[in-house]
Amino acid sequence: MPMTLAEKILARASGNREVAAGDYVTAKIDVAMAHEGASWVIDELMRAGIDKVWDSERIVILFDHWAPAPTELTATMHKKVREFVKRHKIKHFYDIKAGICHQIMPEMGHVRPGELIVGTDSHTTTYGAFGAGGTGLGTTDMAVVFVTGELWFRVPETIKFQVDGSLPKYVTSKDVILKIAGKYGTEVAQYKSVEFEGSAIRAMSLASRMTLSNMTMEIGAKFALIAPDDKTISYVKSRTTKPFTPMYPDPDASYEKVYELNVSDLEPQVAFPHSVDNVKPVSEAEGVKVDQALIGSCTNGRLEDLAAAAEILKNRKVHPDVRLIVIPASREVYLEALRAGIIETLLEAGAVVCNPTCGPCMGTHLGLLAEGERCISSSNRNFKGRMGSSKSEIYLASPYVVAASAVRGEITDPRKLMEVRK
Amino acid sequence: MTTIKVRGKVWKLGDNIDTDVITPGKYLSLPMDQLKQHVLEPINPDFAKLVKPGDVIVGGRNFGCGSSREQAPRALKEVGVAAVIAESFARIFFRNAISIGLPVLICEGVSQAFSDGDVLEADFSTGEIKNVTKGLALKAKPLPPMMLEILSAGGALELLKKRFSK
């Protein structure tokens, strides 16, 4: 029977020759990732009186949500996790200096095509950009994984987005996924696996594909898969010496539905508060005043995102009424941006550059919003109160739109701003 | 067969009740006894004070969308919510709810059938749902036996404990 990529990944992980959508399987986990969520996993294990891990080399632990610890409570949380890491000799541990989990995982070679990876973070779907079955779990399920290395899964149905055409200048993969969310809603992939295919996907960098797979979580997806190609394989091989077996969907696999998009005429997109599917083209958002602009997060904090911001901000200044916060997704991204002169450009323009961390994206630290304030952000969620006051507003867009808006003090089409200079 | 039944007064919520609304990120590092005081605060600052043990939430579509934070279903359970029945759920919330032992059920038409304060009866093993106040009956797809087993054990961790004490 022909299988989709999700079916192939879960068949291999569960030791079955074949599985089909709707089957329940018990699958072996290849890699389990936990950020500060590890602290809650440890609480669960203590409550159960279990102090063991299944495999100290397959568990990756890192800090990104509260790094460095902004409060005594979070410092205590970190301490507890560091002690657990030592006690169980967890091989892959990245303390506060490393960066955001979904950037660290592929950078450090923990994401390999065809593998099943779970994380204590909903945006674990990001690893689908490498053809890996990445999905998010809560802490109780992760406690089960830490101890047994296995978990039950329902094999999901698969839908496919066939994305063709070539993206115009200043239009990015962020605009593609916002367009999809706006057009089809936050439930189109509810409990399903998504596969992306098409010439626009193949032309994208891995960083751009990661943005796409990351935000596919926001339309409900369990996996957000892009079959590996030469770009994927050469990146992964440059990061890990461990062998892996890339998997591909069968050509005649059965999809619940196929959606076709052509992106050649796509405009930059903006998600209005308070839902990710409340999306309009930037032309309908222009003129909305902003108090803060954020470029960062697991969605858009990579080198190409910072470079996009620098392209806009070169020889320009951030509007005096706007706080522009820039957060590189990892130490590696930060260093590369520093060496390329990107950080200098951003600082000269008036940006505040913070250490690699999730930052204000989820409202924990480094730039929260007061009542009545508005932020334009390259992150992934604009839920009510996510970044601080429940009476503040978050607009989501690409780094180009965020940077252009930071210059003008209002939501701005980057294409128009760049025209002005010519 | 395992039977799980609930009877309680309804709190009706809308579509896309996300995990930041259920347990805002700014409170997430607090211990549960403090965090639960803020449950659903952005849409109803008094919810934690007013909810009574045994009350039931009736939600719209995409209940629990957003983050993987297990605090969302746990805080609801800790303030006494006995079950959540919604038109549809976000995947991780649904899975987390089962794993921590909070009964959840997907039922189309449920938000039409209930108003705030109605008395709801649900049988999670048969999928039968009744609005006792209005005299209405609905049928949902029952939970699979594996999920009923986790719920009746009191959560996935309890099952794990059993497995390791053998």
Side-chain angles (χ1 to χ4, degrees):
Chain A
M1 196 189 69
M3 288 191 281
T4 64
L5 196 39
E7 287 165 345
K8 285 207 173 168
I9 290 170
L10 285 172
R12 185 199 55 82
S14 63
N16 288 296
R17 206 167 52 83
E18 276 185 359
V19 298
D23 290 353
Y24 284 91
V25 297
T26 299
K28 286 198 167 27
I29 305 299
D30 292 297
V31 182
M33 182 280 292
H35 46 48
E36 281 91 339
S39 148
W40 303 318
V41 173
I42 296 164
D43 290 345
E44 296 299 332
L45 293 177
M46 278 167 61
R47 216 176 309 184
I50 302 169
D51 194 27
K52 61 158 275 189
V53 298
W54 113 90
D55 188 339
S56 58
E57 296 196 5
R58 287 182 185 269
I59 294 173
V60 180
I61 294 181
L62 46 83
F63 296 145
D64 60 6
H65 277 48
W66 290 278
T71 61
E72 193 181 333
L73 268 176
T74 47
T76 308
M77 201 186 262
H78 283 176
K79 186 174 173 223
K80 186 192 331 181
V81 176
R82 288 188 191 104
E83 286 166 0
F84 179 88
V85 162
K86 279 204 177 129
R87 191 162 71 247
H88 292 286
K89 300 185 172 59
I90 301 297
K91 189 173 172 193
H92 305 290
F93 170 62
Y94 304 97
D95 212 314
I96 60 161
K97 66 179 180 290
I100 307 176
C101 57
H102 304 311
Q103 187 64 22
I104 298 308
M105 285 288 285
E107 271 181 9
M108 298 299 178
H110 302 303
V111 176
R112 292 173 288 268
E115 296 198 348
L116 179 62
I117 308 175
V118 292
T120 55
D121 192 278
S122 58
H123 293 106
T124 305
T125 54
T126 309
Y127 314 148
F130 301 88
T135 198
L137 297 178
T139 39
T140 295
D141 281 331
M142 190 55 90
V144 172
V145 172
F146 267 31
V147 177
T148 67
E150 302 179 340
L151 201 65
W152 67 266
F153 289 91
R154 182 184 172 278
V155 180
E157 288 75 20
T158 296
I159 59 173
K160 179 146 101 174
F161 287 98
Q162 176 74 30
V163 188
D164 291 309
S166 50
L167 285 168
K169 178 78 181 146
Y170 301 121
V171 182
T172 69
S173 65
K174 178 64 160 283
D175 302 298
V176 174
I177 189 63
L178 287 176
K179 177 74 191 176
I180 288 174
K183 192 169 178 185
Y184 301 108
T186 48
E187 280 208 284
V188 64
Q190 191 68 274
Y191 201 80
K192 290 170 189 150
S193 174
V194 170
E195 282 180 23
F196 289 101
E197 196 39 88
S199 57
I201 306 296
R202 293 297 145 203
M204 282 178 194
S205 66
L206 284 170
S208 294
R209 293 180 192 175
M210 286 168 77
T211 302
L212 197 62
S213 292
N214 175 282
M215 273 205 73
T216 302
M217 196 302 133
E218 305 307 323
I219 55 170
K222 177 168 184 163
F223 298 132
L225 297 160
I226 299 172
D229 55 14
D230 292 346
K231 284 183 205 176
T232 325
I233 302 299
S234 69
Y235 180 90
V236 175
K237 283 191 171 164
S238 75
R239 300 284 166 164
T240 181
T241 51
K242 276 197 180 172
F244 58 92
T245 311
M247 290 185 186
Y248 305 89
D250 289 322
D252 46 355
S254 150
Y255 294 93
E256 191 181 86
K257 199 158 178 184
V258 178
Y259 300 86
E260 291 177 1
L261 277 91
N262 189 300
V263 295
S264 295
D265 295 320
L266 188 67
E267 261 192 75
Q269 305 286 309
V270 177
F272 282 54
H274 298 283
S275 177
V276 180
D277 59 357
N278 190 11
V279 174
K280 294 172 190 171
V282 68
S283 53
E284 291 176 35
E286 282 171 308
V288 173
K289 295 253 183 284
V290 295
D291 304 287
Q292 181 164 303
L294 169 65
I295 294 171
S297 85
C298 56
T299 310
N300 279 120
R302 282 173 273 282
L303 189 65
E304 66 177 31
D305 302 316
L306 304 193
E311 184 185 342
I312 302 280
L313 288 160
K314 180 95 186 156
N315 299 324
R316 290 197 171 91
K317 292 283 178 215
V318 172
H319 191 279
D321 295 337
V322 177
R323 293 113 44 187
L324 171 61
I325 297 170
V326 176
I327 306 185
S330 71
R331 180 182 165 88
E332 181 177 315
V333 167
Y334 199 166
L335 266 172
E336 284 182 3
L338 197 66
R339 287 172 184 147
I342 291 167
I343 298 295
E344 193 178 334
T345 302
L346 297 174
L347 284 171
E348 274 176 353
V352 174
V353 181
C354 300
N355 66 294
T357 171
C358 302
C361 170
M362 61 161 305
T364 50
H365 63 154
L366 297 178
L368 270 60
L369 301 175
E371 181 173 333
E373 287 192 325
R374 197 176 284 137
C375 178
I376 179 133
S377 175
S378 79
S379 59
N380 43 53
R381 286 187 184 133
N382 56 354
F383 299 160
K384 203 172 184 180
R386 178 163 169 97
M387 226 178 256
S389 168
S390 50
K391 289 176 181 147
S392 61
E393 290 184 344
I394 306 163
Y395 288 68
L396 304 176
S398 72
Y400 283 123
V401 174
V402 174
S405 306
V407 170
R408 288 266 177 90
E410 57 186 41
I411 296 179
T412 299
D413 185 339
R415 298 170 304 178
K416 288 193 185 161
L417 189 77
M418 297 308 270
E419 283 281 311
V420 173
R421 182 178 280 166
K422 276 181 197 161
Chain B
M1 192 172 75
T2 318
T3 308
I4 293 169
K5 288 182 181 173
V6 161
R7 181 188 167 103
K9 214 170 72 158
V10 166
W11 289 82
K12 177 104 171 276
L13 302 178
D15 292 339
N16 296 308
I17 298 297
D18 63 71
T19 52
D20 279 276
V21 156
I22 303 171
T23 43
K26 59 187 168 185
Y27 305 125
L28 211 53
S29 61
L30 296 176
M32 183 49 77
D33 59 335
Q34 291 170 44
L35 174 61
K36 71 181 186 188
Q37 306 303 332
H38 300 283
V39 70
L40 289 167
E41 185 181 275
I43 54 168
N44 183 350
D46 295 322
F47 182 82
K49 280 184 218 130
L50 299 176
V51 68
K52 298 272 186 307
D55 286 357
V56 174
I57 286 177
V58 169
R61 299 204 62 82
N62 206 20
F63 192 93
C65 59
S67 147
S68 61
R69 63 188 70 157
E70 190 172 288
Q71 288 93 334
R74 197 177 284 284
L76 291 172
K77 191 182 176 196
E78 291 274 331
V79 295
V81 171
V84 183
I85 298 172
E87 302 279 337
S88 65
F89 286 88
R91 171 192 157 255
I92 306 179
F93 181 93
F94 187 87
R95 179 167 191 135
N96 282 344
I98 298 289
S99 291
I100 64 149
L102 174 68
V104 282
L105 205 54
I106 300 165
C107 179
E108 270 186 44
V110 72
S111 51
Q112 283 290 320
F114 285 88
S115 312
D116 258 333
D118 287 353
V119 173
L120 174 148
E121 266 183 19
D123 184 330
F124 290 79
S125 36
T126 64
E128 282 161 12
I129 296 169
K130 276 186 212 149
N131 185 332
V132 178
T133 311
K134 294 196 174 118
L136 296 169
L138 288 95
K139 186 85 168 74
K141 200 175 159 190
L143 292 177
M146 180 208 33
M147 292 186 198
L148 289 171
E149 189 199 354
I150 297 174
L151 282 176
S152 59
L157 208 66
E158 296 305 314
L159 281 185
L160 191 68
K161 262 161 71 177
K162 269 190 214 162
R163 186 169 149 184
F164 276 83
S165 64
K166 268 176 200 166

